[in-house]
Amino acid sequence: MECVVQGIIETQHVEALEILLQGLCGVHKERLRIHEICLKSGPNLGVVASEVRLLCDLEQPESTWTVRHIGGAMRGAGAEQISVLVRTMVESKVSKNALRLFYALGYKLDHELLRVGFTFHFQRGAQITVTVSSVNKMLKLHATDEAVPVTPGIQLVEVTAPASAENYSEVVAAVSSFCEYLAPLLHLSKPGISTGVVPTAAAAAASLMSDGGGTPL
Amino acid sequence: MTLKWVLHWQPNAGSTVNSQILSEVSQCVESINGVKEGRWRATLTFYKPHTREQSMAVDFPRDFLGISLPEQPNKYYFIIRGQRIVLEADSSIQTLMEKLQSYKTRVALHFDYQLGDFQLRVGKVVPTHSENLRGIVMEVEYLPISSVEKARQIMEEFLDIWQEAVSKRSLPGHFMHMEPNFAEYGLADHYTSQHTAVQYATVMAQLIATVQAVQSVRN
């Protein structure tokens, strides 16, 4: 299981966001360059269609692969009241044959993306990961060197934290509380609920850039 | 990674495997200084495609196997033998496959190891929740060398000694080693658990072929 919120920020404000995150998290950013290959089951496979994502980490000297399945979101009145999405998620590291295996099992390429940016991993009431990245599409199959932004000038911010059925309320609280610190720069909400950029972003970014990140919030 | 040959018991035409053969083989290991170790279990699971209609299943691989090996408790191995694909994953991949619901698990088999010194393990092939003996396997592990090619001669010499010891008991069958072409699976000369997984899948295919041959003679 994981807790997730997402938001968007203009590329021009990403540097300010980085300064803010650096101050809040107390750790260094890690560069991110992930080739994400989304596969869907072919027409006759399974009673319902299924999706699986293969993630190739291109930042490592030798690419490492992970396979991930994102399941349904928690439903019900309780789920609707919380501002963080709680959903099932299973992932596994795999050796490099994963794409060949899933093609052989009857999965087809649905789409692929290249995410380029950075992440912060830290502990603050929960194991939180903040990812800031541009989402790029490839003009030719698997051509990660020739990727162009899907939304030029805009980057995606994702805050995720692993959770279990026993502790998800605490994790939701930790994520929500952390997101409040980012409010001047961006608004984070459940994936699928778009909120656009925040009107205070420019002013907040300017303030962060001039302070050099020295002002505690 | 320690090099291993996985052998299987090939019954003579017209005979089948039984627990008496297993007992004789175990005694044979003991007679060449085998020391009883604890139980040890490898599990092999067949994955069958889940399709709306049975006829659609032919479009998908029939030899998709999952293997867990005791030497790698946090890993799981997938093999599609017909396409020479082997994949090493975390154990969580089993949960992931369950969530996808595109393939269902059918018939798990256990390779139980009851006996052996640091080089030999003798095991029985039994379905889950059953004691029906379907086959006998052996692992011959040679610690000093990790290279498949470099170990070949020593392993063959050991195997000759072993075959001779077994043949003295006049059992209706013999052990066979069928070495898969590891290169076809993209595996290198340096031995890994993926090599072990591929050997088990090969043994499985042979056991199935033997059972089917016996059944066609009966029918």
Side-chain angles (χ1 to χ4, degrees):
Chain A
M1 264 173 112
E2 63 173 4
C3 294
V4 189
V5 283
Q6 273 180 0
I8 53 171
I9 189 167
E10 289 178 75
T11 304
Q12 59 178 321
H13 301 317
V14 164
E15 205 184 328
L17 176 60
E18 194 185 319
I19 291 171
L20 177 58
L21 288 169
Q22 177 79 60
L24 285 171
C25 307
V27 297
H28 288 296
K29 72 175 183 193
E30 287 167 33
R31 294 164 65 90
L32 179 99
R33 195 177 169 83
I34 304 242
H35 181 188
E36 195 173 305
I37 303 174
C38 301
L39 304 177
K40 270 206 173 101
S41 54
N44 295 326
L45 182 61
V47 170
V48 292
S50 54
E51 265 183 42
V52 70
R53 279 160 210 261
L54 296 187
L55 308 168
C56 183
D57 186 345
L58 299 173
E59 213 29 64
Q60 306 301 320
E62 217 182 286
S63 331
T64 57
W65 288 84
T66 303
V67 60
R68 180 183 287 172
H69 172 70
I70 293 173
M74 207 175 78
R75 286 187 221 274
E80 270 162 49
Q81 275 165 28
I82 55 180
S83 54
V84 173
L85 188 78
V86 183
R87 64 188 181 192
T88 56
M89 193 277 290
V90 185
E91 63 180 20
S92 164
K93 284 197 268 303
V94 286
S95 52
K96 56 183 158 62
N97 252 337
L99 187 59
R100 246 190 99 205
L101 180 96
F102 278 99
Y103 277 154
L105 293 179
Y107 282 81
K108 317 270 182 218
L109 178 68
D110 186 66
H111 65 275
E112 56 178 345
L113 302 166
L114 180 71
R115 292 185 192 271
V116 182
F118 56 85
T119 58
F120 284 86
H121 300 286
F122 58 97
Q123 185 76 23
R124 196 187 184 102
Q127 194 68 25
I128 299 180
T129 299
V130 182
T131 304
V132 181
S133 61
S134 68
V135 179
N136 305 275
K137 61 186 176 198
M138 275 140 273
L139 302 173
K140 284 200 301 248
L141 186 67
H142 303 331
T144 53
D145 292 334
E146 297 172 31
V148 295
V150 171
T151 50
I154 297 279
Q155 295 205 18
L156 180 69
V157 181
E158 240 186 7
V159 180
T160 60
S164 68
E166 290 80 34
N167 76 355
Y168 76 87
S169 334
E170 285 99 62
V171 177
V172 163
V175 170
S176 301
S177 141
F178 176 75
C179 288
E180 284 172 26
Y181 289 108
L182 305 182
L185 272 179
L186 79 158
H187 183 65
L188 292 154
S189 58
K190 290 179 181 172
I193 300 175
S194 61
T195 55
V197 296
V198 165
T200 53
S207 163
L208 279 158
M209 298 301 287
S210 65
D211 279 348
T215 308
L217 283 178
Chain B
M1 179 79 229
T2 309
L3 183 119
K4 225 175 259 205
W5 275 17
V6 180
L7 314 172
H8 70 279
W9 180 258
Q10 181 65 49
N12 291 341
S15 71
T16 53
V17 71
N18 59 55
S19 47
Q20 204 221 328
I21 297 175
L22 181 66
S23 166
E24 297 262 358
V25 167
S26 305
Q27 285 173 38
C28 214
V29 176
E30 277 175 351
S31 75
I32 55 171
N33 293 331
V35 174
K36 227 177 184 136
E37 282 182 350
R39 290 185 81 87
W40 207 55
R41 172 171 285 185
T43 304
L44 193 145
T45 304
F46 290 88
Y47 281 84
K48 297 294 178 196
H50 198 201
T51 52
R52 266 187 305 266
E53 280 162 50
Q54 192 63 13
S55 54
M56 293 172 177
V58 297
D59 297 331
F60 302 101
R62 295 173 55 198
D63 55 352
F64 176 35
L65 299 177
I67 299 180
S68 70
L69 297 172
E71 70 214 33
Q72 300 278 10
N74 301 319
K75 297 282 181 193
Y76 199 71
Y77 298 86
F78 279 139
I79 296 173
I80 302 177
R81 228 178 56 92
Q83 301 191 37
R84 302 294 189 261
I85 298 173
V86 60
L87 185 87
E88 182 181 77
D90 295 338
S91 308
S92 53
I93 196 123
Q94 295 170 80
T95 308
L96 195 145
M97 288 305 296
E98 257 177 77
K99 297 273 182 203
L100 290 177
Q101 297 200 335
S102 48
Y103 283 81
K104 295 286 186 185
T105 56
R106 294 271 181 272
V107 188
L109 290 167
H110 300 292
F111 298 76
D112 279 328
Y113 291 92
Q114 300 166 284
L115 172 91
D117 64 9
F118 71 97
Q119 284 184 334
L120 297 180
R121 292 183 189 89
V122 176
K124 52 186 181 180
V125 180
V126 284
T128 336
H129 313 307
S130 165
E131 279 303 307
N132 265 333
L133 187 66
R134 294 289 175 87
I136 299 173
V137 294
M138 239 181 76
E139 278 192 2
V140 179
E141 197 169 353
Y142 187 59
L143 298 171
I145 295 180
S146 308
S147 151
V148 173
E149 283 311 310
K150 291 203 179 90
R152 190 180 302 287
Q153 190 181 342
I154 290 162
M155 295 296 269
E156 279 170 2
E157 283 169 11
F158 182 89
L159 209 51
D160 287 341
I161 297 169
W162 169 249
Q163 301 283 34
E164 213 189 296
V166 173
S167 67
K168 291 199 173 101
R169 296 183 178 248
S170 307
L171 300 170
H174 61 283
F175 276 101
M176 273 185 70
H177 176 236
M178 296 179 64
E179 184 172 306
N181 186 331
F182 293 120
E184 282 180 359
Y185 286 84
L187 299 175
D189 182 63
H190 185 89
Y191 195 83
T192 66
S193 293
Q194 290 188 61
H195 291 74
T196 304
V198 168
Q199 288 195 68
Y200 272 102
T202 306
V203 159
M204 208 55 245
Q206 190 59 32
L207 287 175
I208 292 169
T210 305
V211 166
Q212 284 174 344
V214 168
Q215 281 175 348
S216 63
V217 163
R218 283 196 187 134
N219 300 342

